[in-house]
Amino acid sequence: MDFYLLAALVASFWLDPAGDKPLLRVLSSTGEIYTTSNRIDREKLCPGPSYEESECSFEIEVVILPNDYFRLIKIKIIVKDTNDNAPMFPTPVINISIPENTLINSRFAIPSATDPDTGFNSVQRYKLVNGQSAFGLDIVETPEGEKWPQLIVQQNLDREQKDTYVMKIKVEDGGSPQKSSTAILQVTVTDVNDNKPVFKESQVDVHIPENSPVGTSVVQLIATDADIGVNADVRYMFGAQVSPATKRLFALNSTSGLITVQRPLDREESAIHKLSVMATDGTSSPAKASITINVTDVNDNPPNIDLRYIISPINGTVFLSEKDPINTKIALITVSDKDTDVNGKVICFIERDVPFHLKAVYDNQYLLETSSLLDYEGTKEYNFKIVASDSGKPSLNQTALVRVRLEDENDNPPIFSQPVVELVVMENNKRGSFLTTLSATDEDSGKNAEIVYQLGPNASFFDLDRKTGVLTASRIFDREEQERFLFTVTARDNGTPPLQSQAAVIVTIQDENDNTPKFTHNHFQFFVSENLPKYSTVGVITVTDADAGENAAVTLSILSDNENFILDPFSGVIKSNVSFDREQQSSYTFDVKAEDNGQPPSSSAAKVTINVIDVNDNTPVVIYPPSNTSFKLVPLSAIPGSVVAEVFALDGDTGMNAELKYTIVNGNNKGLFRIDPVTGNITLEEKPVVTDIGLHRLVVNISDLGYPKSLHTLIMVFLYVNDTVGNVTYVQDLIRQTMETPLDKNIGDSNETYQTRDYLTIMIAIVTGAMVVIVVIFFTVLVRCRHASRFKAAQRKKQGAEWMSPNQEGKQSKKKKRKKRKSPKSSLLNFVTIGESKPDDPVHEPINGTISLPAELEEQGIGRFDWKTVPTTTFKPSSPDLARHYKSASPQSAFHVKADTPVSVKKHHVIQELPLDNTFVGGCDTLSKRSSTSSDHFTASECSSQGGVKTRGPMHNRQVKEHFYWSISTAYNYPVHQY
């Protein structure tokens, strides 16, 4: 059997006031109770004080049907409170009035806030914000649980200093999350009568004429009270010492303090009246002021004025011409007064500002004259009064009316409404088209104001109506021929004599797009350097348009499909989209189009050719001598001027970039040799002598004349001065030993040092051995005294044998040890090793030598380097192709650069890769010295191989001191050739 439930909501008190909106529903099939979409609001269901935590509930009735199973069930629903309401004050602004004499710690109730929630969700605390140290806040809790805020006065109040305090009071509930609100608390300090009145002036001296009418104000007394409201109401009264007679003459307004004349005064009866006035605000301490009233005599007779005209008036009017001169006499005026003394002294003047003045001629007599030139156009008629006034108090006066009328003269030229008329006219106009109307006015009258118009010169393109001033175009304008017309228009009146004026007319012709853009050249040719980086400017296209404005705004574009260049459409700047290489392509040609912004637009085209020019990007490559270790014999019989050696180099560039110059930069301190700067031939300057015998090392700099920077290469040339080469190995040893000598040191005078070095070592070893033998003999004598003579003879024999024939193995060993000596350990020195391929011989050791740059290399062979122009990236030069050729064609081994472990210093190191067999210091613009400071800076610049192919690599920029070291590893059987 199926059952269903029907829920009937019968308790009307929990329904929404807007209608019967059920808060719960019963599912008829299961009997489950659900809430509806209508919100259950405890504050609406159970209104009441928030501090009462009474239970809030409502009932519903559920009926079970059908009748066989009928049952009525009442269900009680208890609604629990949530903190969904913030406490609120009754008003956003709370005003409290506190008297200024309120005692400290006095309390004043503040309207409490209300919160519809209950329990801890209702009002819990109050806070006073910005109490300004004058007020504090206290909370009083009633037995019912209500919290009442009270304002506490914390310091004395003075309304006269500050009458209003504005603060904020904040209320918070205890719910989670907590809710709060604020209200503005404005405290008004009310006044208390604690100040007495004060007169502005306690002593007043007043003068009043005797003929002052009744009601005349004598003096206004002012007494102020710092209080406000009723406490500041001041009342005025006469003092007890004021006589009844004085009280009858003067009245005192008790409210305003104004003293007025109550009855007519008579100075002869009483000239001085003294009054005392009291000002009180109701307290027992009134303020007092003393007033002295002086009654003065009055002037009761006005002066008399007599006007006699010099120019006879017509109907009471004097007629003057506007061209009458200044000081024209009009009338004679005589004044008089029946009073005496000051009251009888009369002055005469004109009432307002007019071009007339009075000139005194005798006592009380004046002449009326013109004071300036008269202008009919400014004022046609003057009506003014001549006033005669005495010096009495009050002053009495008499007036006389004068009327003057002017007659017109032709003294004003016509005036244009616009002195400069500017017009804008479109070109290609129609003949006779209306342009404007020129208008001029004349301030004269009659014929003097009749105007005719006339065109000035340079107005052949225009017509002008003489009477109306209408300006029309008589021709068709062409802006490209003439963009601006400037001419004058004359306006002349019909007066006698006639007067005229001019106006300038400026006619600007507005442009139409009737011209096409024109290139300054039909064929533009530009020259750029090769190796120019991408996006560099290679040229500028210039184009003109005879039109103006948008009609002359030209846009440029490349017609052909050219991806090698980028053309700015507005500036005409052409930028490269490729890096140029003259050897690959020497020129580029394309067409450009220029189009204006006119309607309709016009366009034209031109041809552009970009020519690539050569740049000095190849370093001289040494062809001869073939190696840095080759030498030539210079016999003592050689005569001066003979060629003893040759230096020959090639440059992969063209033109001036390939022209070379040869210079000896070091090693020729005796001036024995000379090099031809063009051919490179080395000749004798002087005949060699015996002191010149030995090995000479010449450092030759080969530089080109290229642009923008000259590149150079250094080569070492060895010359052996002797009759013959008896021992080639000896010369080879000398050349190897020079590798330890810096380039700025000359070796020509030091051959003997190289020859005797080994002998010196042997002698030191012999002496050391002898000393050891002597010590041994000393101890032996002590042990074997009996065999002393025989032992000493044997030792002397052994010592003599060693002196005559030293141990060769020991000599070689000492030489090896000497070759193994290390370079000085200094933090200012950096080490670079030049390793050489050699056979697998364990006896080969590197020889360390010190090389410093001479001043000649700095000035002649090595150009100064501009560090500002070098990018932060570094590169290393590669060996020329020619070096690889000599490597393959010669048994010599190649030089390789390898870096030894550098000393830990904060400097820059130079690591340079030398050419294989060509030069010692490299076939490129290798070293550039920057400055002469505490440490010299060097950088390795770009090298190029033979044939113009450039090879780039990383370069390590390092800073060194005055010297840097090369370590050369070489075998003793290293071949040194004579060439």
Side-chain angles (χ1 to χ4, degrees):
M1 180 179 293
D2 294 333
F3 295 93
Y4 62 91
L5 298 178
L6 176 62
L9 306 181
V10 296
S12 60
F13 65 89
W14 55 272
L15 297 177
D16 193 304
D20 295 338
K21 296 182 178 179
L23 301 179
L24 300 175
R25 64 184 178 87
V26 177
L27 190 62
S28 60
S29 59
T30 63
E32 293 177 336
I33 300 175
Y34 294 91
T35 58
T36 65
S37 61
N38 299 317
R39 179 175 175 268
I40 298 176
D41 191 348
R42 190 199 65 81
E43 286 73 30
K44 286 185 177 181
L45 292 175
C46 303
S50 60
Y51 54 83
E52 295 181 359
E53 298 186 9
S54 58
E55 182 182 89
C56 179
S57 64
F58 63 90
E59 292 183 353
I60 62 173
E61 294 179 350
V62 179
V63 177
I64 301 176
L65 297 177
N67 293 331
D68 295 342
Y69 300 92
F70 177 82
R71 187 177 179 183
L72 179 61
I73 300 174
K74 290 187 177 181
I75 300 174
K76 182 179 180 181
I77 305 298
I78 299 174
V79 181
K80 297 293 184 180
D81 180 47
T82 60
N83 189 28
D84 57 347
N85 293 280
M88 300 295 293
F89 286 97
T91 59
V93 179
I94 300 173
N95 292 302
I96 299 177
S97 297
I98 301 177
E100 63 177 327
N101 60 349
T102 300
L103 298 177
I104 296 177
N105 294 328
S106 298
R107 295 171 176 258
F108 293 87
I110 299 175
S112 59
T114 59
D115 193 329
D117 298 325
T118 61
F120 202 65
N121 294 333
S122 63
V123 176
Q124 296 299 318
R125 64 188 64 86
Y126 293 89
K127 294 181 181 178
L128 184 65
V129 182
N130 191 21
Q132 305 178 37
S133 73
F135 300 95
L137 186 67
D138 190 19
I139 309 300
V140 177
E141 188 170 354
T142 64
E144 293 80 9
E146 290 187 88
K147 294 178 175 60
W148 292 351
Q150 291 184 346
L151 188 67
I152 302 175
V153 178
Q154 295 181 344
Q155 65 182 24
N156 292 324
L157 305 178
D158 189 351
R159 188 204 61 81
E160 287 72 31
Q161 293 183 1
K162 188 171 184 179
D163 60 355
T164 304
Y165 294 85
V166 179
M167 299 163 283
K168 284 185 179 181
I169 183 169
K170 182 178 182 181
V171 59
E172 299 175 345
D173 61 18
S176 180
Q178 188 184 63
K179 295 183 181 294
S180 64
S181 65
T182 59
I184 296 175
L185 178 61
Q186 181 170 305
V187 178
T188 302
V189 181
T190 60
D191 185 54
V192 176
N193 192 13
D194 55 352
N195 294 280
K196 68 176 183 179
V198 177
F199 274 104
K200 186 177 181 181
E201 294 179 296
S202 59
Q203 298 288 337
V204 181
D205 195 1
V206 181
H207 294 79
I208 184 171
E210 60 178 333
N211 62 344
S212 298
V214 175
T216 301
S217 298
V218 179
V219 65
Q220 173 70 62
L221 299 177
I222 299 176
T224 59
D225 194 311
D227 299 321
I228 61 172
V230 178
N231 298 329
D233 291 341
V234 179
R235 298 289 178 178
Y236 301 89
M237 63 186 69
F238 283 121
Q241 66 272 27
V242 178
S243 64
T246 302
K247 291 181 179 180
R248 287 194 298 271
L249 293 176
F250 301 98
L252 174 61
N253 190 311
S254 61
T255 303
S256 65
L258 178 63
I259 299 177
T260 59
V261 176
Q262 191 169 240
R263 291 186 180 183
L265 303 177
D266 187 356
R267 189 192 66 83
E268 287 72 25
E269 181 180 345
S270 179
I272 299 175
H273 300 274
K274 291 189 176 182
L275 298 82
S276 61
V277 177
M278 314 297 290
T280 178
D281 61 354
T283 61
S284 59
S285 301
K288 181 179 179 180
S290 298
I291 298 93
T292 301
I293 301 176
N294 300 283
V295 181
T296 60
D297 194 18
V298 297
N299 181 27
D300 53 356
N301 291 290
N304 182 45
I305 184 169
D306 181 20
L307 181 61
R308 289 176 288 178
Y309 288 100
I310 298 175
I311 298 177
S312 299
I314 300 174
N315 296 328
T317 302
V318 177
F319 288 87
L320 297 176
S321 173
E322 63 175 332
K323 65 179 180 179
D324 284 341
I326 300 175
N327 298 328
T328 298
K329 309 302 187 287
I330 299 174
L332 176 64
I333 300 171
T334 303
V335 295
S336 61
D337 196 311
K338 295 180 180 180
D339 294 324
T340 59
D341 298 332
V342 176
N343 293 332
K345 187 177 180 180
V346 181
I347 58 174
C348 192
F349 58 91
I350 297 176
E351 187 178 41
R352 61 189 182 88
D353 187 15
V354 290
F356 306 96
H357 69 267
L358 295 174
K359 180 181 178 181
V361 290
Y362 294 103
D363 290 340
N364 297 332
Q365 280 193 324
Y366 302 88
L367 281 174
L368 177 62
E369 300 176 339
T370 59
S371 61
S372 62
L373 294 176
L374 305 177
D375 187 3
Y376 172 84
E377 290 71 31
T379 303
K380 296 178 176 59
E381 185 175 344
Y382 295 93
N383 295 316
F384 57 92
K385 291 180 180 180
I386 297 176
V387 181
S389 177
D390 59 24
S391 301
K393 294 183 180 180
S395 176
L396 301 179
N397 58 68
Q398 187 70 32
T399 62
L401 181 62
V402 177
R403 295 179 180 177
V404 177
R405 184 172 296 175
L406 303 183
E407 295 177 346
D408 184 42
E409 299 288 344
N410 189 28
D411 56 350
N412 290 283
I415 301 299
F416 282 95
S417 58
Q418 291 179 280
V420 179
V421 180
E422 295 188 12
L423 303 175
V424 178
V425 181
M426 185 69 70
E427 66 176 331
N428 304 320
N429 60 301
K430 294 182 180 180
R431 296 179 184 270
S433 57
F434 171 80
L435 300 180
T436 188
T437 299
L438 302 173
S439 176
T441 58
D442 196 315
E443 294 182 356
D444 294 326
S445 59
K447 289 187 176 182
N448 296 334
E450 294 178 0
I451 301 174
V452 293
Y453 300 92
Q454 183 178 356
L455 283 174
N458 302 324
S460 58
F461 280 70
F462 305 92
D463 289 330
L464 178 65
D465 190 288
R466 292 175 57 84
K467 293 184 178 180
T468 63
V470 174
L471 182 67
T472 57
S474 61
R475 300 186 188 180
I476 298 175
F477 301 117
D478 187 354
R479 191 202 65 82
E480 286 71 36
E481 291 185 1
Q482 187 169 354
E483 185 178 3
R484 196 164 177 262
F485 294 89
L486 175 61
F487 56 91
T488 59
V489 175
T490 302
R492 181 183 295 108
D493 60 26
N494 290 329
T496 303
L499 300 177
Q500 65 181 23
S501 64
Q502 290 183 336
V505 180
I506 302 174
V507 180
T508 302
I509 309 303
Q510 193 171 359
D511 183 60
E512 286 187 350
N513 192 26
D514 53 354
N515 292 276
T516 59
K518 292 184 179 180
F519 288 93
T520 55
H521 300 84
N522 293 330
H523 187 187
F524 291 90
Q525 293 201 37
F526 302 107
F527 295 84
V528 297
S529 300
E530 64 175 339
N531 301 328
L532 194 69
K534 292 180 68 174
Y535 309 116
S536 299
T537 300
V538 299
V540 179
I541 300 296
T542 53
V543 62
T544 61
D545 195 312
D547 295 322
E550 287 297 319
N551 297 330
V554 178
T555 303
L556 297 171
S557 61
I558 298 178
L559 284 177
S560 58
D561 186 15
N562 192 324
E563 297 181 354
N564 294 327
F565 299 94
I566 301 172
L567 175 61
D568 189 289
F570 304 106
S571 65
V573 174
I574 301 176
K575 293 188 177 182
S576 62
N577 200 23
V578 294
S579 295
F580 299 107
D581 190 344
R582 186 187 60 81
E583 288 74 20
Q584 293 185 4
Q585 186 171 348
S586 61
S587 65
Y588 300 83
T589 302
F590 54 89
D591 295 328
V592 294
K593 176 184 176 182
E595 185 176 68
D596 60 27
N597 290 341
Q599 295 298 329
S602 300
S603 63
S604 59
K607 180 176 289 186
V608 178
T609 299
I610 310 296
N611 299 289
V612 183
I613 60 176
D614 186 39
V615 174
N616 186 28
D617 54 356
N618 289 284
T619 306
V621 177
V622 178
I623 304 299
Y624 200 78
S627 171
N628 272 324
T629 58
S630 302
F631 74 95
K632 265 203 170 185
L633 175 66
V634 180
L636 292 175
S637 60
I639 61 175
S642 61
V643 177
V644 297
E646 297 177 0
V647 178
F648 178 68
L650 294 177
D651 195 302
D653 295 314
T654 60
M656 295 290 290
N657 298 334
E659 294 187 12
L660 302 180
K661 178 182 178 181
Y662 301 86
T663 308
I664 298 176
V665 296
N666 197 36
N668 192 28
N669 59 323
K670 295 183 178 181
L672 186 61
F673 305 100
R674 176 183 178 277
I675 189 168
D676 190 293
V678 178
T679 64
N681 292 337
I682 300 176
T683 58
L684 276 174
E685 283 287 283
E686 299 176 359
K687 184 175 179 62
V689 295
V690 176
T691 58
D692 296 329
I693 295 176
L695 184 66
H696 296 261
R697 182 184 67 183
L698 303 181
V699 180
V700 178
N701 178 62
I702 309 169
S703 61
D704 58 26
L705 304 179
Y707 174 84
K709 181 180 179 182
S710 174
L711 303 179
H712 72 272
T713 299
L714 294 177
I715 181 67
M716 291 193 300
V717 178
F718 289 97
L719 301 176
Y720 186 67
V721 178
N722 203 351
D723 288 332
T724 61
V725 181
N727 188 356
V728 176
T729 304
Y730 168 71
V731 179
Q732 293 175 354
D733 289 341
L734 290 181
I735 293 177
R736 290 191 191 98
Q737 291 169 1
T738 59
M739 298 302 178
E740 299 180 358
T741 305
L743 293 179
D744 59 345
K745 301 295 183 180
N746 295 310
I747 67 168
D749 299 331
S750 60
N751 292 334
E752 184 178 353
T753 302
Y754 293 127
Q755 297 173 12
T756 60
R757 181 184 300 174
D758 293 338
Y759 296 105
L760 179 62
T761 303
I762 295 173
M763 293 300 297
I764 293 174
I766 293 174
V767 172
T768 303
M771 292 180 65
V772 172
V773 171
I774 293 172
V775 172
V776 173
I777 292 173
F778 176 76
F779 284 102
T780 304
V781 169
L782 294 177
V783 177
R784 297 180 180 181
C785 292
R786 62 184 65 177
H787 303 290
S789 57
R790 185 172 54 189
F791 181 79
K792 290 180 181 179
Q795 291 297 328
R796 291 191 188 98
K797 183 178 180 180
K798 181 179 180 181
Q799 181 180 2
E802 288 181 354
W803 176 264
M804 296 301 295
S805 178
N807 192 333
Q808 296 299 321
E809 292 181 0
K811 179 180 179 181
Q812 293 294 334
S813 175
K814 292 174 184 178
K815 185 182 297 185
K816 292 179 183 178
K817 290 180 181 179
R818 182 173 65 252
K819 292 181 180 180
K820 287 184 179 180
R821 68 180 182 272
K822 297 182 180 180
S823 301
K825 294 182 179 180
S826 172
S827 61
L828 299 179
L829 302 179
N830 300 319
F831 297 90
V832 178
T833 302
I834 304 177
E836 178 187 359
S837 61
K838 53 187 177 291
D840 298 329
D841 189 351
V843 300
H844 296 307
E845 297 291 343
I847 301 174
N848 295 331
T850 302
I851 301 176
S852 61
L853 293 178
E856 293 82 2
L857 297 183
E858 297 180 11
E859 298 177 359
Q860 302 178 21
I862 303 176
R864 295 191 178 273
F865 192 78
D866 187 2
W867 286 79
K868 297 180 180 179
T869 60
V870 178
T872 56
T873 57
T874 58
F875 55 89
K876 67 177 182 178
S878 62
S879 302
D881 294 342
L882 193 60
R884 291 194 293 272
H885 167 75
Y886 281 111
K887 178 180 178 181
S888 61
S890 170
Q892 301 179 25
S893 302
F895 287 98
H896 299 281
V897 179
K898 62 180 180 179
D900 289 341
T901 303
V903 180
S904 178
V905 292
K906 296 181 180 179
K907 300 293 181 181
H908 296 285
H909 303 278
V910 176
I911 298 180
Q912 182 179 0
E913 186 175 280
L914 296 179
L916 299 180
D917 251 345
N918 190 22
T919 60
F920 183 78
V921 292
C924 46
D925 187 14
T926 53
L927 299 177
S928 296
K929 190 168 183 180
R930 184 186 180 196
S931 61
S932 300
T933 57
S934 61
S935 63
D936 298 330
H937 301 272
F938 299 92
T939 180
S941 63
E942 180 179 342
C943 296
S944 61
S945 60
Q946 187 179 10
V949 179
K950 294 168 287 184
T951 305
R952 298 178 181 268
M955 180 188 75
H956 305 278
N957 286 336
R958 297 175 181 171
Q959 188 178 18
V960 300
K961 283 294 181 178
E962 293 183 356
H963 300 284
F964 57 91
Y965 289 83
W966 303 94
S967 175
I968 303 177
S969 300
T970 178
Y972 286 120
N973 58 356
Y974 186 87
V976 179
H977 300 278
Q978 179 181 358
Y979 65 97

